[in-house]
Amino acid sequence: LNEESSGAPFGEVIRDYKPLPDTIWRFGKPNYSRVNKTYFQHRTKVHKEGSLEAVVSKIVKNWEVESHHIADIHHWQTMDIKAFKAAVNGGCPCNAQLMSDVGPYNMLLGET
């Protein structure tokens, strides 16, 4: 990802995702410069560097890069794809491949 996508120009690295060399992007490499600008202008919490909150925030942002922009789950690095299972409201569990196929938001919505 480019430097603006990391957040570095705003004085804080909030996303440090390093894709594998042979990563194939769904829609091209994402650029988070606009969303980062809004994030830094309007966020209400600034977590202390190295705190659990800061670490979790960065992990979630890195996970978002993978789950939305990399179709091949074998290139995902932020979660154990063999162990991943998610279910909503007691529904059937979904594995990483299904989440990749339908998309993370659609997985959470289920069939409506």
Side-chain angles (χ1 to χ4, degrees):
L1 301 178
N2 66 21
E3 186 179 19
E4 284 183 324
S5 290
S6 75
F10 298 95
E12 181 182 352
V13 174
I14 58 169
R15 191 179 289 101
D16 61 359
Y17 191 75
K18 304 285 187 237
L20 297 174
D22 55 345
T23 294
I24 298 172
W25 301 97
R26 287 183 202 266
F27 314 108
K29 193 180 289 189
N31 184 328
Y32 290 94
S33 58
R34 285 180 38 201
V35 75
N36 284 354
K37 181 179 180 184
T38 302
Y39 172 79
F40 283 108
Q41 286 176 341
H42 299 288
R43 70 178 171 172
T44 57
K45 302 279 186 223
V46 179
H47 303 299
K48 182 180 177 184
E49 187 175 342
S51 68
L52 179 59
E53 293 88 349
V55 169
V56 169
S57 180
K58 190 180 288 183
I59 288 170
V60 169
K61 286 175 178 61
N62 286 334
W63 172 82
E64 189 276 339
V65 171
E66 288 181 333
S67 64
H68 289 269
H69 299 286
I70 301 174
D72 185 349
I73 63 171
H74 298 97
H75 289 215
W76 292 3
Q77 304 169 67
T78 60
M79 71 164 109
D80 182 347
I81 61 170
K82 292 177 185 153
F84 177 82
K85 296 275 187 261
V88 178
N89 296 329
C92 294
C94 166
N95 64 21
Q97 185 62 59
L98 180 59
M99 185 179 75
S100 176
D101 293 344
V102 301
Y105 295 136
N106 290 331
M107 177 205 66
L108 294 171
L109 291 173
E111 293 183 27
T112 56

